[in-house]
Amino acid sequence: MKDLLIKDLSEEDKGKEVTLRAWVHQIRPLGRLIFIILRDCSGMIQAVVKEDPKLLDFAKKLNLEDVVEVKGTVIPSRSKIAPIEVQVKSIKILNKSSPLPLDISGKVPAELGTRLRYRVVDLKRPENLAIFRIQAELMDSFRRFLRSKGFIEVSTPKIVAMSTEGGAELFEVKYFEYKTYLAQSPQIYKQLLVIAGFERVYEVGHAYRAEKHNTIRHLNEYISLDVEMGFIDNENDLISLEEKLVKYMLKSVAENCSHELKLLNVDIPTVDRIPKFTFPEVIEILTEYYNIPEYKDQTDLDPRGEELICQYAKENYDCEFAFVDLFPLEGRPFYTMPYDSKLGRSFDLLFRGLEISTGGQRIHRYDLLLKRIKEKGLNPENFKYYLEAFKYGAPPHGGFAIGAERFTMKLLHLKNIREASLFPRDRYRVTP
Ligand code: AMO
């Protein structure tokens, strides 16, 4: 097993003999020297080949991405970029690479389509590793924060028998003699687990949406960071929990990913208070402040509206996030707790012009839930097992879900959500 990562080498190792197993990231002949940049998951180091004519000859024939075992001595570096380098004594090829379909040094940019076609090669770019290390930190800090607040991690079924977020966006799954679908969200199950007495649950899992539109903000398979908790007073408890959670996640990325952030040239915003607007206030801002009368009768926010509200929050509250609460019931799912006859206790969290999260208080009373299911034109028979649970001690409860790729995309200023997904699934892409 490899027991030495590149990042573990330091100036203290000067003079030591080391064995590195890594990829050949770059080769630069310079007079009678050859510089090889070696890359592993932890970083890069320069290896220098000199004097030995046989070794120089061998090094000249290396291909980018050859998998090699390099033995050598740690010496002070002649470049200003790093304090040490390795003077090569031997190179063994563990596996030869073919010529690459993409330049991974970043010098020759490729179209996103080409990059996704050769995603494995594309992912070799250090910038990509940085993106996914940051995404992993977002997920890890999400878990840490919630665990510290008494939440338990759960994994709910992804093969389900009913729709939760609206009927049109479902993928059907062939499942013996049953009609089943890929879960659009863990909504039903996270609620059931609160009722089951788990009280505080979270899940990091895939969600599936059969959205036909191929946009820069939609995936057909995305990572949903879900939270659900019992005994809330109303949705404001969730808004304040999510505010603390998001601040913790940002702080964790800033503290634990400084190298990655530097590589990507990204600063993590500091957030004090996230402003909250009600939906009627949002409509007023859009129609009065921005003078767009078409928003008057809207029951949801469109991308332009989301952008303008974020702009408003930035200009007036110096914050790139904004909560929008009390969305009209009309556009929200059946489980939304009504606030009055028109509005629901349902909110969105916007970040840099994009909805990155939705949440709200749920209906916990059986009769009201049954009524809302019928009013939404849904068949209560399809919700039998879900509905039944509300007869056996359902506390007032609610939760929210953050789209991991959308959060990553906005945090790192990525232009397309696909860049925040390892192997994106979209309307025309099911491989690799
Ligand atoms: P919603 O449907 O708004 O709410 O989804 C929650 C969050 O998930 C992300 N998201 C997506 N990301 C990429 N591609 C998609 N096609 C996609 N669809 C959704 C977004 C969005 O804000 N059950 C509720 C959540 C709750 O109330 O707890 C739900 O799924 O970031």
Side-chain angles (χ1 to χ4, degrees):
M1 198 182 95
K2 163 170 164 166
D3 56 5
L4 179 67
L5 290 175
I6 288 173
K7 79 164 170 41
D8 295 335
L9 285 177
S10 70
E11 283 182 272
E12 285 171 19
D13 296 308
K14 273 184 213 160
K16 258 196 201 160
E17 301 291 307
V18 291
T19 303
L20 293 170
R21 293 191 203 161
W23 286 269
V24 173
H25 185 71
Q26 243 181 59
I27 312 165
R28 266 188 307 125
L30 198 77
R32 287 160 63 194
L33 303 176
I34 295 183
F35 293 101
I36 307 168
I37 306 286
L38 296 171
R39 188 190 78 243
D40 75 4
C41 67
S42 71
M44 298 200 233
I45 192 162
Q46 177 158 284
V48 58
V49 183
K50 58 179 194 179
E51 285 157 14
D52 183 341
K54 251 175 142 179
L55 200 54
L56 281 164
D57 215 37
F58 187 82
K60 249 184 241 159
K61 292 188 194 122
L62 286 172
N63 281 344
L64 296 182
E65 289 310 298
D66 278 352
V67 180
V68 293
E69 181 178 278
V70 171
K71 287 186 195 286
T73 316
V74 178
I75 56 168
S77 172
R78 61 205 80 202
S79 84
K80 284 195 198 102
I81 308 163
I84 50 166
E85 59 189 28
V86 170
Q87 183 166 330
V88 180
K89 289 203 165 141
S90 73
I91 305 173
K92 186 164 129 196
I93 296 195
L94 302 178
N95 206 357
K96 199 86 194 135
S97 168
S98 299
L100 302 178
L102 288 176
D103 168 46
I104 60 168
S105 71
K107 285 188 198 120
V108 191
E111 294 278 327
L112 185 59
T114 314
R115 288 177 44 201
L116 294 177
R117 159 69 183 83
Y118 297 104
R119 187 61 161 161
V120 178
V121 176
D122 180 50
L123 287 174
K124 287 171 183 278
R125 290 193 305 125
E127 291 79 3
N128 270 325
L129 188 55
I131 291 174
F132 292 100
R133 271 195 202 283
I134 291 169
Q135 190 171 79
E137 182 60 36
L138 286 174
M139 296 193 275
D140 200 32
S141 53
F142 173 82
R143 289 180 157 116
R144 282 199 310 270
F145 178 86
L146 292 164
R147 249 201 325 265
S148 78
K149 302 269 181 239
F151 284 74
I152 168 171
E153 177 155 4
V154 297
S155 289
T156 63
K158 300 300 160 226
I159 298 176
V160 299
M162 59 196 179
S163 152
T164 51
E165 315 296 331
E169 298 171 356
L170 280 164
F171 285 115
E172 275 191 35
V173 178
K174 219 168 151 236
Y175 190 85
F176 308 111
E177 63 274 31
Y178 301 98
K179 203 175 170 75
T180 60
Y181 311 95
L182 288 177
Q184 289 174 305
S185 86
Q187 183 64 37
I188 294 289
Y189 288 97
K190 64 177 182 172
Q191 285 189 257
L192 292 181
L193 289 169
V194 169
I195 298 171
F198 286 41
E199 197 177 319
R200 297 177 174 203
V201 296
Y202 68 90
E203 176 164 2
V204 176
H206 276 129
Y208 298 88
R209 304 278 169 110
E211 332 228 10
K212 288 203 183 67
H213 34 277
N214 212 32
T215 75
I216 56 154
R217 51 163 67 194
H218 289 97
L219 291 166
N220 293 107
E221 179 182 58
Y222 70 91
I223 305 166
S224 187
L225 307 178
D226 270 87
V227 177
E228 197 75 13
M229 74 182 294
F231 302 102
I232 57 167
D233 292 335
N234 54 48
E235 82 285 9
N236 289 307
D237 291 345
L238 302 162
I239 290 176
S240 106
L241 178 74
E242 188 167 19
E243 181 180 82
K244 291 192 193 91
L245 168 65
V246 164
K247 281 162 73 168
Y248 180 81
M249 290 166 81
L250 293 176
K251 192 166 148 269
S252 299
V253 170
E255 281 174 8
N256 302 328
C257 301
S258 53
H259 169 75
E260 288 76 12
L261 291 168
K262 203 168 150 211
L263 183 69
L264 298 172
N265 199 14
V266 166
D267 288 325
I268 297 298
T270 45
V271 177
D272 184 19
R273 282 299 321 246
I274 300 181
K276 185 187 95 166
F277 310 100
T278 64
F279 191 81
E281 281 166 355
V282 158
I283 294 302
E284 199 179 303
I285 293 168
L286 294 171
T287 51
E288 307 291 326
Y289 186 84
Y290 287 111
N291 202 12
I292 315 173
E294 298 89 82
Y295 276 107
K296 192 164 178 300
D297 299 317
Q298 294 298 317
T299 53
D300 204 355
L301 263 184
D302 62 358
R304 186 175 173 221
E306 288 174 2
E307 260 171 43
L308 290 173
I309 293 307
C310 282
Q311 189 180 317
Y312 186 85
K314 178 90 184 111
E315 281 168 13
N316 294 278
Y317 298 86
D318 193 24
C319 185
E320 293 181 285
F321 290 85
F323 280 109
V324 179
D325 190 15
L326 303 183
F327 271 83
L329 283 166
E330 192 184 320
R332 296 275 143 162
F334 66 86
Y335 52 75
T336 308
M337 177 64 95
Y339 171 76
D340 59 21
S341 62
K342 287 215 162 64
L343 305 175
R345 293 192 174 277
S346 178
F347 62 87
D348 276 357
L349 174 60
L350 314 179
F351 177 37
R352 295 181 173 159
L354 179 68
E355 172 210 315
I356 61 158
S357 173
T358 295
Q361 183 177 0
R362 329 297 186 189
I363 298 171
H364 58 285
R365 295 197 197 285
Y366 180 90
D367 295 343
L368 181 56
L369 193 53
L370 182 63
K371 181 169 165 261
R372 289 296 296 151
I373 286 176
K374 288 183 184 158
E375 280 171 3
K376 283 275 180 189
L378 300 164
N379 180 359
E381 228 354 81
N382 295 342
F383 295 87
K384 203 168 137 211
Y385 296 102
Y386 172 69
L387 263 171
E388 192 178 85
F390 289 78
K391 292 181 182 168
Y392 308 120
H397 66 281
F400 54 84
I402 304 172
E405 295 87 350
R406 282 198 183 180
F407 196 3
T408 311
M409 171 191 178
K410 282 291 151 184
L411 191 61
L412 305 182
H413 304 286
L414 305 176
K415 292 201 180 70
N416 192 313
I417 194 167
R418 288 160 185 76
E419 293 187 70
S421 173
L422 286 168
F423 297 102
R425 293 291 172 257
D426 65 25
R427 180 72 183 83
Y428 304 105
R429 207 172 265 108
V430 285
T431 55

